[in-house]
Amino acid sequence: MSDQNSDQKPKAKKTPPKPGEKTRREFLRSGVLAAGVLGASLLGYYPVLQGSALRLRPPGAIKTPLDEQEFFASCIKCGQCVQVCPVYAIKLADITDGFGIGVPYIDAREQACDFSCDGLQCVLACPTGALTHDLNFPADTRMGLAELTRPDTCLAMQGQGFKGQARGADFKGVLRFSEVDRWNPIPLADHPFDLEICDLCVRLCPIEIRIAECAAEAENDEPQNTARVAQKIGNECPPRSAIKLVPMPSDDGVKRMQPVILDGCVGCGVCEMVCPPQIPSLTMNIKKTVDHPGGA
């Protein structure tokens, strides 16, 4: 019994904090908390500083290639543009986009805007004018500018054709093919191709398709409707081509063609979406438009 009592050490008495020490601890604790809150807030700027906050925006977004502040301020993130898009091209940004969270964007490689709604439904649905209502026709849009960023992957530049499904059987993207269904988009995988030389970027460009349709309509119209047709060509019909293939010099007799972007490109992203190689030859430059080729 005596040994057990000798092993027990007296408990140390808690020393009350000295005057001012409690206040100092609370101050440090509050400082750490405030720094944490501030750091979490600044994380929202990280994607902006990285430039990753810049995205391909829906038609009519009130922005310049390098300045989206007005669009950010006007968009109330209601998602109306998402709801009316017939090809589900428009998505809302998540938390990785920092202060752009909830703002609509388009991932052209996954699903481009093919204007199959005809009337720019996203623009009509926007309640605030963040997608400007001054936009009337697809050819008036300035979403970005297509660029030949990987010529080494371009099938046409290698003189190769293409046979099969443009992006494979599992690709979920859709496009409207008027010869199949005038009103409803269908999966790109349901429309295989057999091309002597790959021209999908030109063949499926919405601007080029509309130009061809307008030319056919003009050719088939009665003479008394000439004035109306002329008006359409300068109005809803795109006034300028967006892309074409031009022959390349060849010393081996192989026919090679190079895609060339023209001043009718609106940056819709369809050429990037349908480009068959795993690494697309054409991509959208969101920092440029035909009106701002230098990104100014």
Side-chain angles (χ1 to χ4, degrees):
M1 181 65 73
S2 61
D3 293 340
Q4 292 179 352
N5 291 337
S6 61
D7 293 338
Q8 293 179 351
K9 296 181 180 179
K11 296 181 179 179
K13 295 182 179 179
K14 293 184 178 179
T15 305
K18 297 179 180 178
E21 185 175 355
K22 183 178 180 182
T23 304
R24 188 163 56 250
R25 288 179 180 175
E26 291 176 346
F27 174 77
L28 292 174
R29 190 181 300 118
S30 300
V32 171
L33 180 61
V37 172
L38 179 62
S41 302
L42 291 177
L43 283 177
Y45 281 112
Y46 186 65
V48 179
L49 294 174
Q50 278 192 318
S52 59
L54 290 174
R55 310 292 289 268
L56 188 67
R57 301 301 179 187
I62 47 174
K63 59 185 279 293
T64 66
L66 299 179
D67 187 354
E68 296 188 312
Q69 291 186 7
E70 187 177 4
F71 178 58
F72 275 39
S74 302
C75 177
I76 58 174
K77 308 171 183 62
C78 63
Q80 291 296 315
C81 55
V82 177
Q83 299 296 323
V84 299
C85 180
V87 295
Y88 311 107
I90 305 174
K91 304 179 184 304
L92 299 181
D94 57 25
I95 195 170
T96 59
D97 290 84
F99 290 117
I101 186 171
V103 177
Y105 73 96
I106 293 174
D107 182 343
R109 186 61 173 164
E110 182 178 338
Q111 177 60 61
C113 166
D114 73 341
F115 302 112
S116 59
C117 59
D118 288 327
L120 294 171
Q121 295 298 319
C122 56
V123 171
L124 297 175
C126 181
T128 66
L131 305 180
T132 177
H133 294 183
D134 295 333
L135 192 66
N136 294 317
F137 304 105
D140 299 333
T141 62
R142 297 292 185 269
M143 300 164 64
L145 187 64
E147 283 188 349
L148 181 63
T149 50
R150 290 296 300 269
D152 57 311
T153 68
C154 179
L155 299 178
M157 295 182 70
Q158 300 171 37
Q160 296 184 17
F162 180 79
K163 186 174 183 178
Q165 296 144 312
R167 295 288 305 283
D170 296 330
F171 184 64
K172 304 299 183 186
V174 298
L175 288 178
R176 185 180 66 177
F177 295 89
S178 296
E179 68 275 20
V180 177
D181 190 329
R182 172 65 182 85
W183 305 108
N184 300 303
I186 65 172
L188 183 60
D190 290 352
H191 197 287
F193 300 89
D194 187 358
L195 308 173
E196 182 179 356
I197 188 163
C198 183
D199 64 351
L200 289 174
C201 55
V202 177
R203 179 184 295 266
L204 299 180
C205 170
I207 300 299
E208 296 305 311
I209 290 174
R210 186 62 189 134
I211 287 176
E213 290 175 347
C214 289
E217 293 168 4
E219 185 177 352
N220 296 328
D221 252 347
E222 297 297 329
Q224 60 268 25
N225 293 331
T226 300
R228 183 177 65 82
V229 172
Q231 183 180 7
K232 287 175 64 178
I233 290 176
N235 195 354
E236 71 177 72
C237 294
R240 299 183 298 272
S241 288
I243 187 172
K244 66 178 181 180
L245 292 182
V246 298
M248 297 175 62
S250 175
D251 297 331
D252 54 8
V254 176
K255 181 182 179 182
R256 295 182 175 85
M257 306 289 281
Q258 176 178 342
V260 174
I261 309 303
L262 305 174
D263 59 2
C265 175
V266 299
C268 66
V270 169
C271 57
E272 178 179 340
M273 171 183 164
V274 302
C275 190
Q278 185 174 5
I279 301 176
S281 310
L282 294 160
T283 54
M284 294 305 104
N285 189 330
I286 58 176
K287 298 181 180 179
K288 295 181 180 179
T289 67
V290 292
D291 296 333
H292 299 86

